[in-house]
Amino acid sequence: MPHEIKNYVAGRFVASTSRFDDINPVDGSLAGIVHEADKSTVDLAVQAAREALRGPWGSLSAAERGAMLNQIADGIEARFDEFVAAEIADTGKPLAQARTLDIPRGTANFRFFANLVSTSGTECFEMGTPDGSGALNYSVRKPLGVVGVISPWNLPFLLLTWKLAPAMAAGNTIIAKPSEETPATAALLAEVMHEVGIPPGVFNLVNGFGPGSAGEFVTTHPDVDAITFTGESATGSAIMRAAAGNVKALSFELGGKNAAIIFEDANLDQAVDGTVRSVFSNCGQVCLCSERVYVHQRIFDEFVARLKDRAEALRMGWPDDEQTEIGPLVSTAHRDKVLSYYELAREEGATVVTGGGIPEFGDARDQGAWVQPTILTGLEESARCVREEIFGPVCHIAPFTTEEQAVAMANDSAYGLAGAVWTTNLSRAHRVARQIEAGIVWVNTWYLRDLRTPFGGVKLSGIGREGGVHSLNFYSEPTNICIKL
Ligand code: NAD
Ligand code: 6OD
């Protein structure tokens, strides 16, 4: 019997008549059966979340909520191997990644925000008054209310908890809608919430799709006060329209078409290592991945040759093989999208330096969602493959001659999420980094995360910042209290 994934509403696991398959992209096998939440299930979840705001959750202090978040982290760690296995079954990602990044970082999100909310203060300003007695202003943080958390499939647990943990820490109650492709770790998390005694209604989980399904029911619900969303820019814009009716607060982490710039003075070993990571990690399915690589003309040929060798050496394999470095894409639908870009690149005149197709295994993996790591060169900057987000293990490499040209090429994009700059010239590092039109710029590294820092994008890549106090600021609202002394 396949594993059944139910909704979690008002502290109970709820079945439904409409169900859909959860497919393992490694070999197309059935990973689970998911119960799709209908409109009335979402209504019940919102009602429960609203009641929980007025109930015990609303009366806990920040430190008490923080303590509960730490208990959730303990509960995840106690079932660590189950979370790792569930994430792998949904995504096909390598064991080595799931147990060092996805699940530990997802757990760390709870601990980090537990600590932050227990230790952070609010503003206080003393002011003079004409009568000389003065006044004192101080602010108190209040939760936004019921928060809808809509999350994607690429780092399912990490990205769900990245929003959930600060939202709960700030005292909100939650309706979470994970991606239909990757519902398993969210369902395990509901079990942990239940086991550690999170009050009913504080965390509700509804499964389903976007339009005409749970995603739409949550984002259009008049009693949901805020939506925090990670996913495609086009979905963000649909959600924005849906949420406009009752002016919900919005936090959006959206797509990217990120640039990496490799200057002629870069440490080439480090730049190649870093670019292998920034292009191919998670099979290119990280919003921060570099899909556009700009390399100084003097080192262009050497860089392309070295990246090609490294791409061809990446070990594609079964997720539980410790040697595996790269898994499949999340689904055959997504594989078809990525393959259509490989085809488009040829039509647009690209040189396919390596890859460009589907690997053959001669076993069950041939029914999976695999594509080859791919490097392209020779495209115009106006080519669709250089402008549109592909979200696969692929980059286009183009040469530049001057620093100004490199910055202009990097910034010539509708997106602005992340950039990577590789140089040993300290002045250039500072000068270039601040000119990149993106929310996050890494110099001589990639995806090095300090959870206190602002995270988010400009242009089509998002609205607002999360991370550290930026998250608390989004998930709460200050009321200023002015006391005349
Ligand atoms: P997606 O936009 O297709 O789906 C994300 C979530 O939105 C899913 O849960 C989906 O069911 C839901 N959804 C879809 N349509 C909806 C609608 N009309 N109303 C309400 N909900 C709806 O994104 P995806 O394919 O799951 O994820 C990949 C995308 O996410 C890429 O574009 C990637 O760059 C982006 N992403 C961005 C970040 C970031 O931090 N900026 C992080 C991860 C992924
Ligand atoms: O590391 C994080 O906190 C984060 N939000 C990563 C986003 C990755 C996008 O795919």
Side-chain angles (χ1 to χ4, degrees), residues 101 105 109 152 154-155 158-159 162 230 253-254 282 285-289 391 417 447 449 451 455:
L101 172 70
R105 248 310 300 285
N109 286 338
N154 60 325
L155 302 169
L158 191 164
L159 293 179
W162 174 240
T230 302
E253 296 186 343
L254 308 177
N282 205 42
Q285 302 166 119
V286 180
C287 57
L288 310 159
C289 276
F391 218 54
L417 185 57
Y447 199 13
R449 293 278 290 120
L451 303 188
F455 185 97

Side-chain angles (χ1 to χ4, degrees), residues 105 164 166 182 219 222 235 319 351 392 404 470-472:
R105 248 310 300 285
L164 185 56
T182 54
T219 52
T235 311
T351 300
E404 293 69 30
H470 305 279
S471 294
L472 292 188

Side-chain angles (χ1 to χ4, degrees), residues 165-422:
M168 287 177 69
N172 300 283
T173 57
I174 309 293
I175 315 292
K177 210 295 284 170
S179 169
E180 56 274 31
E181 304 284 0
T182 54
T185 42
L188 277 178
L189 183 61
E191 292 180 17
V192 167
M193 298 268 186
H194 199 78
E195 285 158 11
V196 304
I198 298 300
V202 171
F203 173 77
N204 302 274
L205 174 67
V206 292
N207 285 297
F209 304 85
S213 182
E216 180 180 323
F217 304 149
V218 173
T219 52
T220 55
H221 202 293
D223 253 356
V224 171
D225 300 292
I227 299 291
T228 178
F229 167 73
T230 302
E232 282 189 25
S233 301
T235 311
S237 128
I239 291 178
M240 214 167 176
R241 282 191 293 275
N246 60 334
V247 199
K248 296 184 199 311
L250 297 175
S251 172
F252 281 175
E253 296 186 343
L254 308 177
K257 187 75 183 177
N258 309 302
I261 305 178
I262 326 289
F263 285 101
E264 71 277 27
D265 57 30
N267 175 320
L268 210 53
D269 290 341
Q270 288 173 8
V272 170
D273 272 352
T275 309
V276 169
R277 285 183 58 235
S278 79
V279 174
F280 301 114
S281 287
N282 205 42
C283 201
Q285 302 166 119
V286 180
C287 57
L288 310 159
C289 276
S290 318
E291 289 194 5
R292 297 180 295 139
V293 180
Y294 298 105
V295 181
H296 191 274
Q297 197 175 32
R298 256 205 327 263
I299 56 168
F300 184 80
D301 290 343
E302 181 182 356
F303 185 88
V304 172
R306 288 178 65 171
L307 200 72
K308 171 181 187 290
D309 289 348
R310 293 289 299 275
E312 289 172 355
L314 286 170
R315 286 183 295 259
M316 305 188 95
W318 295 96
D320 51 4
D321 179 343
E322 304 269 354
Q323 304 304 312
T324 295
E325 293 171 298
I326 187 163
L329 293 169
V330 75
S331 65
T332 50
H334 188 52
R335 181 203 56 194
D336 293 347
K337 174 184 159 185
V338 172
L339 286 176
S340 76
Y341 276 102
Y342 287 3
E343 199 43 50
L344 177 66
R346 291 187 176 92
E347 286 162 23
E348 290 185 313
T351 300
V352 180
V353 175
T354 188
I358 300 180
E360 281 180 25
F361 297 100
D363 58 33
R365 285 173 292 178
D366 292 337
Q367 271 71 62
W370 300 79
V371 292
Q372 291 172 325
T374 295
I375 298 173
L376 308 168
T377 57
L379 287 172
E380 298 289 331
E381 287 297 291
S382 57
R384 281 182 55 205
C385 287
V386 179
R387 308 204 73 78
E388 298 175 13
E389 183 186 47
I390 302 174
F391 218 54
V394 54
C395 68
H396 177 255
I397 316 183
F400 67 87
T401 46
T402 66
E403 185 178 302
E404 293 69 30
Q405 189 192 11
V407 170
M409 288 166 109
N411 287 343
D412 182 17
S413 172
Y415 292 97
L417 185 57
V421 177
W422 297 87

